[in-house]
Each structure stands twice: as structure tokens, then as C-alpha cells.
Amino acid sequence: MTFADNFDTSDYDRQDGNTYWATDWIESDDSNLGPTSQYIRIQSQQLYMYYLWTEDIRRTANLTGATSATLSFDYTTNNLGGTRRLGVYISSTGGAPYTQIGTLSGNGTFTQDISAYISANTVIRFAKSNANWDSNHNASIDNVLISAVTPVDTDGDGIEDVADLDNDNDGILDWDECTFVATTTQNFNANGGTSVTNTSTSGRGVMYIDFISIDNSFNLTVNGTNIAAEFQFQPGAPGNFARFNTGFTYGEGGLPQLWSLTGTLANPVLRVIVDADGHLKLFGAQSSGGTLEPLILDTPPETVPWNPSGTNTITIGQFVTGPTNMNGQIRFSGECDTDGDGIFNRFDLDSDNDGIYDAVEAGHGQAITNGAINGAVGTDGVPNLVQTDPNGGSINYAYTDSDGDGILDSIELDSDNDGCNDVLEAGFTDNNADGFLGPNPVATDGNGVVTSGTDGYTIPAEGDLDSVFDYRQAGAPPSINTQPVNTIICPGCNGSLSVTATNANLYQWQRFVGGSWANITDNAMFSGANTATLNINNPTPSENGEQYRVVLTNIAYSCAQTTSATASLQIRVNTIVTNRRITYRVQKN
């Protein structure tokens, strides 16, 4: 959080930071006690002080919860020096006693760590230092800023976001919440210990370093800090060894030497990932073109010194022992907000606004409450229920990608790629067919959950009872093979209307009554109203000429129904009438 005052207007209550000051600027012993005149005032868009004796000015900030804080400002002075200087004072008690932390003359920028004075009533104060000033002594202050670091724990699991690998406790690791889209790419091919440097990326996103080939080790420096020393894969060589879950590195336990493997950009032999919070993850293939599997460093770094608000300088190098080479690519991706609701995916409990929690679409099947997995969370911030090794930084299941297109269900509006959006197949409301829950515009809460819909966030529909949610099963609208045809039934007789179709598992027969189509229910006259064949029992002449049709539905495809052609019912008497032993033929019609 920041508390700031740039003095751009003649007011003592300006709030130029992202957090409000606890008080306005307060003068003492000045004859005006305001920002417009006398010994302390705002002049030329600066806090101006002259001829100070007992006058001072102070302001209070509430730094509760901060773990560190820094005070900074720009200053200029005239004729100050010796015993006549500007004093900078601070207090953590809301007032006296004050501690002097600066004695200023000349011009410059003042910066001071004030972490020792963090409290709910941290006061900064400007006053003379030592001797009284004369009328030609003055000082101006500008751009006052208190920057305080406050631990952020978005999901409230007790693990700060910077250390939390799952910032919303949905069971999806933060670096897997987005489809990686490179914003910057740099290929490299170096040998003989030549290093590779990139400084072009913003910190809000993910960095990938993919090695197509490499001899046996590399090192990584980020913003001047060497990360984990030499990443070592050669048995017997010095360095920080990277091992598979078996405990073996390359060249051990039947594994090939790393230098013998060759990959491609699509299937590298090594991959390094650094996310927006500075978490580092390492993967390796056990064969050329093989699947990347997690590697664990003997001494893993806690975090990488990543700059989240600007550029980062990344250097890849190698310790030279014999021939050295490395060939690959550095890629950077920005932070993602798939549904555009202003909540980054790693904090968003519904990253695509379809009304289905990410924790459901992830596919782990664990019980959740309000979109977060129930139960304990370890020091890595990942719910233990989705880990084989709690605190190990990995998960024990495969994310669900129903249509196999490389996009996780949690960030895809049509997970089964059948043309019917998940929100509808889950049984929820989409007022404008945009794939988002409810109407447009969409409103969400601070966790990315849609609040403008009337439903959603319950168990998704699973109409065919096969234990697979309908939004995950590709479907198609029913297709009619044989349409119903007109039928003739005599009074008191029985008959039927039928349809044959594919992709249909729900039927609803209707008849045209009173100027509109009405659903038929089974009764004395009808049976099979919800099957492919409608049985009509004992119709009367009053039903003559009635029109019928059937509406067909595929449970796995709720976006469209199919309506059959119309068939009519004709009531006709028999053509032969027998009375006692005399038979009469009645002329037809």
C-alpha cells in the first residue's frame, strides 16, 4: 500500500496513493494554520516552510499489517546549513516523543526505511533542526511517499500470495491457470560458456526457458541474483543437482546422459518456468521427444527476485568444464484474465464466467465450498487433497481437457467442442448466447464469481446418468430418420403415431389445441407421450382432423431441439356394417 501527497493543489487532504492517510496535514504554532499563507503553506505545488522557530507540520498513516515501510520525498532548501537545517521526525505513537531520522540542507531526495515505526498511528513530521531560522531560510518538500509492504493472502489459507502456488485454492496450480501465449520470444544457441541475456519482459506473467539440447549444466541469473547456483545434471560434477522423483539424475538409474538427448521447440529436453510470483519449476525429458517430468533441485530456491511491475533481466550461462553448449528458446507470456472480468485467472474461481467453478472443471473431484477445495493446505499453498506429497508443489491428477484441444475446461466456454456452450449444458441460464452466465454486462465479485446471473454454481447437469457432466460430452441435435405420418383410426379403435431418430433420448408429443401446441401427458386416451411412439386409444369423432407432432431432445446437447413434421389424425367409421344376419355395404364417404 502507498500513502502519497504530490501537493498539486493547495489542500492539506490530498490522497495521491492507493491508500488514504489517517489524517490531513496538521500545522502547529503557525499563525495561519492553513495551506494558503504564513510560515508553512503550499506554494508552487510544493510544501513550503520558512522562518521556522516553533512551527511544525505532521501527517499520520495507518500502517497496520505492513511488514516493512519506506518514507521518501524530494526536497530543496535555501541558505540552510550548519545548525539551521530541516529536521525529519517520526513517531509510532501518534505524536510525541518523536525520533529524528533526517537533518536536511541543500537539494536532493530523502529515502529512509521506517519499518521500525510501523503502527496504526505512524506520524511523519517536519520542523526546524537546532537553531531558529531567519527570514531568508526556507525549504520545499514534494512527492511525499510512504510505501508499505503488506502480506497478501487472497484465498485466506494462511500462505502469502508470493509463496502460494494455488492462489485461489481451486486445485489448479497458478502457472497452469492460463494457456501460454508468448508475447516475447528469443532463440539462443551458445557454446564455450557464452551467456544469453534478455531484458524485455514485464514481470506480470510467466517465463519459459526451453532447452532443445544442452551438455550437462546451466546457471540462471535474474535481476543480478544467481538462482540455485549451477543447475547440474552430470553425476560427479559440482553444482545443485536436479533429480527426478526416483532420486536419480541423468546418467543414473538407467537414465541416459542429458547431453545425448535432442528435442524440439515443441518437445524440449529441459524446461524452466518462473511465474509472476517468482516461483521456479524445472522439468526434464527422459528420452528425445519424451514427456517432460518434474525435476527437483537438491537446494531449491525459495523464490526468484522477480519484478512484477517492470522489466526483468534474465541471463543464462554455463560453467565451463570441457565443451559446453546450449540451444533453445526463452519465451514470456503476460498475466491472463480469460473472461475479462478484471480478476487474473490465478485468483479467479470461475475463470471463464460460465457459472461452473474452476474447481469443478479442473476434474479432481474433491469436495468444495464456494469454489475452493475443502481441507488442509500446506506450506506451498496447495490443498493437500490434490497432492500425493503435501507441500511438494505438485498435484496428483491430470487436468480435464474434454475435447483434447490443449485448452483446459476451466478456461474454455465449450469444453466438449460440440457447438453448445458449457453454461447451457450445465443447466444454467445464458440470456444472450455469449457463453457467460446470465445477462450482459456481467458483474462479478472479488473472486471472479458471476453475481449478475440468477443461477449457476450448483452441480452441473448430468442427464444420462453416466457420471460424466453433460458439458463434457460432445453431442448433436436429434436427427429424424422417419417422420410421423397421417393416421386413420375408427371411433373406439386404437392407433399410433411414430418417429425414428438418432441422437434423441427425450421425446415430447404435442397436439394443436385452441390455437397453440400443447404437451401431451399419458392418460386414458394417450400413452407413450414421452417415447418414440404415441399410442392413441378410443378417439372420438371430435378428435377428427387434429394435428400432432413430437419434439426431440438430446440430453447431451441442450442448445437445440428438433421438431418433427406435423401429422393429422383422421376418425373414420368402418366400411362394413353388419346388423343381425343381414349385411349392408355402405357407400364409401
Side-chain angles (χ1 to χ4, degrees):
M1 54 185 172
T2 59
F3 303 83
D5 193 337
N6 300 331
F7 303 105
D8 289 342
T9 58
S10 295
D11 301 289
Y12 277 164
D13 60 355
R14 285 187 61 86
Q15 307 283 353
D16 293 316
N18 60 22
T19 308
Y20 279 8
W21 294 85
T23 67
D24 299 343
W25 289 103
I26 300 172
E27 295 180 6
S28 293
D29 288 341
D30 195 0
S31 55
N32 176 259
L33 298 180
T36 58
S37 64
Q38 289 302 347
Y39 303 111
I40 301 176
R41 60 180 183 265
I42 295 175
Q43 176 176 298
S44 301
Q45 296 184 319
Q46 295 178 314
L47 179 62
Y48 177 78
M49 294 164 281
Y50 88 106
Y51 210 177
L52 295 184
W53 285 18
T54 60
E55 301 83 4
D56 69 16
I57 188 167
R58 63 192 183 276
R59 197 169 192 183
T60 303
N62 183 352
L63 302 183
T64 300
T67 55
S68 64
T70 302
L71 168 66
S72 65
F73 56 84
D74 301 323
Y75 66 91
T76 59
T77 70
N78 285 305
N79 301 316
L80 292 183
T83 60
R84 291 184 176 90
R85 295 173 179 264
L86 175 65
V88 184
Y89 303 86
I90 195 164
S91 168
S92 61
T93 63
Y98 288 95
T99 300
Q100 187 167 349
I101 58 174
T103 304
L104 308 179
S105 62
N107 307 321
T109 297
F110 177 88
T111 302
Q112 177 70 42
D113 184 347
I114 59 171
S115 301
Y117 304 95
I118 289 174
S119 77
N121 295 288
T122 300
V123 184
I124 59 171
R125 173 177 173 258
F126 297 107
K128 72 168 190 181
S129 176
N130 298 324
N132 291 340
W133 293 7
D134 292 331
S135 60
N136 63 337
H137 296 140
N138 61 73
S140 295
I141 301 293
D142 201 3
N143 302 318
V144 173
L145 173 67
I146 296 177
S147 297
V149 176
T150 305
V152 178
D153 177 16
T154 299
D155 52 17
D157 61 2
I159 308 300
E160 295 180 30
D161 286 356
V162 294
D164 196 329
L165 300 181
D166 181 8
N167 276 312
D168 53 6
N169 278 352
D170 60 1
I172 307 174
L173 299 179
D174 290 345
W175 44 46
D176 295 327
E177 292 261 23
C178 302
T179 299
F180 187 92
V181 178
T183 56
T184 303
T185 299
Q186 177 182 342
N187 296 323
F188 61 87
N189 192 349
N191 55 63
T194 302
S195 62
V196 178
T197 299
N198 186 291
T199 58
S200 62
T201 181
S202 170
R204 290 257 65 98
V206 180
M207 175 183 72
Y208 277 38
I209 304 174
D210 288 332
F211 293 91
I212 295 173
S213 63
I214 186 172
D215 55 359
N216 286 306
S217 70
F218 72 94
N219 50 67
L220 173 64
T221 300
V222 178
N223 296 326
T225 299
N226 182 271
I227 308 302
E230 189 81 3
F231 291 71
Q232 186 59 254
F233 310 92
Q234 173 66 52
N240 192 350
F241 274 90
R243 307 176 189 275
F244 291 100
N245 291 331
T246 59
F248 295 120
T249 189
Y250 289 96
E252 297 178 337
L255 295 173
Q257 296 285 359
L258 180 58
W259 50 261
S260 70
L261 303 181
T262 301
T264 64
L265 290 178
N267 298 103
V269 297
L270 282 180
R271 170 171 288 171
V272 181
I273 302 177
V274 177
D275 73 4
D277 285 325
H279 303 126
L280 182 142
K281 199 170 186 180
L282 184 64
F283 300 87
Q286 297 185 7
S287 62
S288 295
T291 301
L292 290 171
E293 300 181 29
L295 284 163
I296 303 170
L297 289 167
D298 286 348
T299 307
E302 291 186 6
T303 56
V304 174
W306 201 249
N307 180 2
S309 59
T311 59
N312 292 271
T313 300
I314 301 100
T315 300
I316 314 167
Q318 291 181 297
F319 179 70
V320 179
T321 53
T324 61
N325 66 83
M326 56 182 182
N327 177 16
Q329 187 179 78
I330 305 173
R331 295 179 295 152
F332 301 98
S333 174
E335 187 83 272
C336 66
D337 174 16
T338 298
D339 51 20
D341 61 2
I343 310 295
F344 291 139
N345 284 12
R346 60 197 177 104
F347 304 113
D348 196 327
L349 293 172
D350 181 9
S351 294
D352 55 5
N353 279 353
D354 60 0
I356 310 170
Y357 284 123
D358 291 352
V360 173
E361 295 191 279
H364 49 64
Q366 300 297 335
I368 63 173
T369 299
N370 297 326
I373 296 177
N374 299 337
V377 173
T379 57
D380 58 2
V382 181
N384 291 344
L385 287 175
V386 293
Q387 294 188 292
T388 301
D389 175 22
N391 308 322
S394 60
I395 56 173
N396 61 8
Y397 74 100
Y399 301 124
T400 301
D401 174 15
S402 296
D403 54 12
D405 62 357
I407 303 174
L408 301 185
D409 287 2
S410 57
I411 55 175
E412 186 166 26
L413 293 176
D414 182 8
S415 295
D416 53 14
N417 199 28
D418 63 357
C420 186
N421 285 329
D422 295 350
V423 60
L424 294 177
E425 292 193 292
F428 307 144
T429 303
D430 179 5
N431 301 78
N432 56 338
D434 59 0
F436 291 166
L437 179 67
N440 193 16
V442 175
T444 62
D445 64 16
N447 294 316
V449 175
V450 176
T451 57
S452 51
T454 58
D455 52 17
Y457 305 111
T458 55
I459 298 175
E462 199 267 290
D464 53 7
L465 303 179
D466 63 354
S467 299
V468 180
F469 294 131
D470 293 345
Y471 76 85
R472 294 187 53 199
Q473 293 180 301
S479 176
I480 295 177
N481 303 319
T482 304
Q483 296 279 359
V485 296
N486 299 338
T487 187
I488 300 174
I489 305 176
C490 65
C493 301
N494 300 329
S496 64
L497 294 167
S498 295
V499 66
T500 61
T502 55
N503 297 321
N505 40 34
L506 291 179
Y507 300 83
Q508 178 59 64
W509 286 91
Q510 298 176 330
R511 63 174 174 167
F512 196 73
V513 178
S516 62
W517 289 99
N519 290 338
I520 297 173
T521 58
D522 288 350
N523 52 35
M525 181 176 174
F526 300 108
S527 62
N530 301 119
T531 68
T533 299
L534 176 68
N535 297 306
I536 305 173
N537 308 309
N538 300 317
T540 65
S542 64
E543 276 86 38
N544 181 56
E546 280 191 346
Q547 294 182 315
Y548 292 78
R549 71 181 188 184
V550 62
V551 179
L552 301 92
T553 302
N554 180 357
I555 292 176
Y557 190 86
S558 57
C559 283
Q561 297 174 313
T562 299
T563 302
S564 73
T566 299
S568 65
L569 173 64
Q570 299 295 320
I571 308 300
R572 301 284 178 84
V573 297
N574 291 327
T575 59
I576 302 295
V577 178
T578 301
N579 185 16
R580 297 181 181 178
R581 296 183 180 180
I582 302 173
T583 300
Y584 299 90
R585 182 168 297 278
V586 180
Q587 183 177 357
K588 194 174 183 179
N589 297 322

